[in-house]
Amino acid sequence: MQKTFNTANLASEVVARCQRLAQFSEDANGTRRTFLSPPMRDCHAEIAKWLKAVGAEVSVDAAGNLRGYYPGVRRPGPRLLLGSHLDTVPNAGAYDGVLGVVVGVALLEALEGRRLPFAIEVIGFSEEEGIRFGTPFIGSRALVGSLDAELLSCRDKNGVSVEKAIEEFGLRPAEIPRAALREDCLGYIEFHIEQGPVLEKLGCQLAAVDAIVGQNRLEFSFSGHANHAGTTPMHLRNDALAGAAEWVVGVESLAQHSPGLVATVGFIEAKPGATNVIAGEARATLDLRHASDSARLQAVEELTRAAESIAVKRGLSLRSRTLLQQRAVTMDPFLVDQIAQAIRKAGCKPQRMASGAGHDAMILAEKVPAAMIFLRTPGGISHDPAESVHLQDVASAVECGVHLLEQLAWSQEFLTRTQRG
Ligand code: HGY
Ligand code: MN
Ligand code: MN
């Protein structure tokens, strides 16, 4: 690719754009942008400007995904998908998800009007984190045809369903099937921050992600008897929060003693939630991840049994429900190799690693060959305003992306692939 663009300038623009998009938030202080909230519209409008400026056709599908289609030399023709998610966790950083969309735009800019043997579709997924409805991947599930009635009926804390949220955003749920991928997709590539300490410890800028660990997300509700904190003797209590707390310590202990397992209780709510009232209800979430599906499912089983025995011992009742069960996913070996080559051409060591975080790539992988490129995360900090990137790493990622597009444009193996059934 005869390049006249300046990678360093593109990288600076990528960082500036990520920081600009971080301002589109539901909160006055900090970044929070959940599924089809009003700031998501501002985010779409800003990215649409950048996409249109490079000649991409922009639309928003019925699941709220922003879609920027940059035609190839022939039309209709095959397409390569580049993207990531535009939603965030509460009090988020500026790069988780958004970076992958903005780097996709930068790679279109780096083409400088050139057309490749495949079209490029840059996608900003509407929801990956699972914050508003407790279940993630709403946007990417629409592309693989699994945004089903059950998911559409999930409700947020105000009782608004996914379906209603789509309508309130001005979209038509009946058109969700039109968001699905067609047979013309050659693959999906996602640039994303690592969100952990591994690359920094190894002194590596980039990595080719070869697998994404599986995860379960569940909710456990302990029910006991609310009562007076001052008059109820300790041996006559059915304290739901104390039961949940005992269980939480067990969750941490199991993960500390199980190699490769991470387990997190990120949310706990006690009711009625008053200082002088013994909690009658305690609701807690569980996030469990492991590269091995059998090890992960065994941990789910073990922690469910632990909750049950604590409940029996303390005279509590227990309900649990699964919010997400996502198997571990292997990335497409051909694309991983191509990425490793492109990382090397960008002058970086082609580190390979598994992702402990979930990503839209694991959903897309159900339908198309998918792979990811990780950028080093300074301090390993993510899901926090201190989340950052090194400008040089962004420049190397853009450089890697340019080489990758060039490699794929000349690869008969890639150009003759057909979509998985
Ligand atoms: O939680 C995760 O794995 C990612 O940040 N969505
Ligand atoms: Mn995230
Ligand atoms: Mn992410």
Side-chain angles (χ1 to χ4, degrees):
M1 187 179 290
Q2 196 56 36
K3 85 175 191 179
T4 56
F5 60 87
N6 178 307
T7 311
N9 291 347
L10 276 177
S12 302
E13 190 61 20
V14 164
V15 170
R17 286 173 171 174
C18 288
Q19 289 172 355
R20 167 130 183 78
L21 295 176
Q23 295 166 24
F24 299 137
S25 173
E26 293 158 48
D27 299 333
N29 299 310
T31 300
R32 184 165 58 102
R33 194 168 56 240
T34 57
F35 182 69
L36 299 188
S37 60
M40 188 62 86
R41 201 182 301 280
D42 302 324
C43 204
H44 285 174
E46 192 72 12
I47 300 170
K49 273 191 306 193
W50 306 333
L51 283 166
K52 287 175 184 164
V54 289
E57 298 152 17
V58 182
S59 60
V60 176
D61 68 26
N65 301 311
L66 182 68
R67 316 279 293 257
Y69 181 83
Y70 180 86
V73 285
R74 60 188 173 83
R75 192 168 191 177
R79 71 179 77 188
L80 170 69
L81 309 177
L82 296 177
S84 193
H85 59 95
L86 294 175
D87 67 310
T88 74
V89 294
N91 201 30
Y95 302 98
D96 174 10
V98 165
L99 178 76
V101 181
V102 177
V103 167
V105 175
L107 291 178
L108 296 186
E109 290 171 335
L111 287 174
E112 296 177 317
R114 193 175 153 220
R115 300 287 174 200
L116 298 180
F118 44 79
I120 294 175
E121 183 172 8
V122 175
I123 305 177
F125 291 109
S126 53
E127 205 290 343
E128 183 271 349
E129 298 285 4
I131 300 301
R132 181 172 175 183
F133 294 95
T135 182
F137 305 126
I138 296 176
S140 43
R141 285 180 62 178
L143 267 68
V144 298
S146 64
L147 176 39
D148 54 18
E150 184 190 350
L151 182 46
L152 283 170
S153 64
C154 287
R155 293 182 183 280
D156 67 11
K157 64 180 185 315
N158 302 318
V160 177
S161 68
V162 171
E163 184 168 25
K164 188 75 181 139
I166 289 174
E167 289 167 351
E168 288 175 351
F169 199 75
L171 301 168
R172 298 184 57 228
E175 293 180 359
I176 285 172
R178 291 174 54 188
L181 295 177
R182 295 183 224 142
E183 296 295 311
D184 60 1
C185 288
L186 296 174
Y188 171 76
I189 302 283
E190 182 168 357
F191 287 82
H192 203 288
I193 51 174
E194 176 207 336
Q195 299 183 288
V198 171
L199 289 181
E200 185 166 68
K201 284 210 184 338
L202 292 172
C204 287
Q205 293 179 271
L206 304 176
V209 177
D210 49 21
I212 303 176
V213 303
Q215 57 174 289
N216 276 60
R217 297 186 193 182
L218 302 96
E219 181 185 271
F220 287 80
S221 299
F222 295 83
S223 301
H225 295 106
N227 213 328
H228 196 296
T231 57
T232 311
M234 294 309 288
H235 68 287
L236 295 179
R237 295 181 177 210
N238 304 107
D239 184 332
L241 183 51
E246 180 184 345
W247 176 71
V248 172
V249 171
V251 167
E252 182 188 47
S253 172
L254 177 71
Q256 285 170 334
H257 297 93
S258 307
L261 179 69
V262 285
T264 312
V265 176
F267 172 88
I268 192 161
E269 176 190 50
K271 287 185 175 172
T275 306
N276 61 348
V277 181
I278 300 164
E281 298 288 332
R283 183 164 63 94
T285 58
L286 176 62
D287 180 312
L288 267 179
R289 308 200 191 190
H290 199 291
S292 149
D293 288 342
S294 58
R296 171 172 51 83
L297 296 173
Q298 188 186 330
V300 171
E301 185 58 35
E302 205 162 321
L303 291 173
T304 303
R305 279 205 309 274
E308 287 162 353
S309 73
I310 289 168
V312 167
K313 181 179 72 174
R314 289 173 171 267
L316 306 174
S317 63
L318 176 74
R319 293 187 323 280
S320 67
R321 69 188 179 110
T322 296
L323 303 172
L324 170 76
Q325 172 139 302
Q326 173 59 48
R327 64 179 177 77
V329 173
T330 306
M331 297 284 88
D332 178 69
F334 168 81
L335 288 178
V336 174
D337 286 344
Q338 291 293 314
I339 288 168
Q341 285 176 43
I343 289 175
R344 190 179 288 111
K345 286 179 190 165
C348 303
K349 180 178 168 241
Q351 182 64 33
R352 292 172 187 236
M353 66 182 286
S355 171
H359 298 286
D360 291 304
M362 70 200 309
I363 304 299
L364 274 285
E366 291 172 20
K367 284 284 182 197
V368 293
M372 297 185 74
I373 295 116
F374 270 176
L375 282 78
R376 172 170 46 181
T377 298
I381 299 169
S382 182
H383 282 186
D384 181 277
E387 182 181 278
S388 65
V389 287
H390 292 304
L391 186 59
Q392 174 50 42
D393 295 353
V394 176
S396 298
V398 170
E399 192 82 35
C400 162
V402 168
H403 288 304
L404 181 60
L405 290 181
E406 191 67 28
Q407 287 166 214
L408 297 179
W410 290 96
S411 164
Q412 280 314 305
E413 179 175 351
F414 178 67
L415 295 172
T416 54
R417 299 185 116 191
T418 52
Q419 190 177 18
R420 290 182 181 160

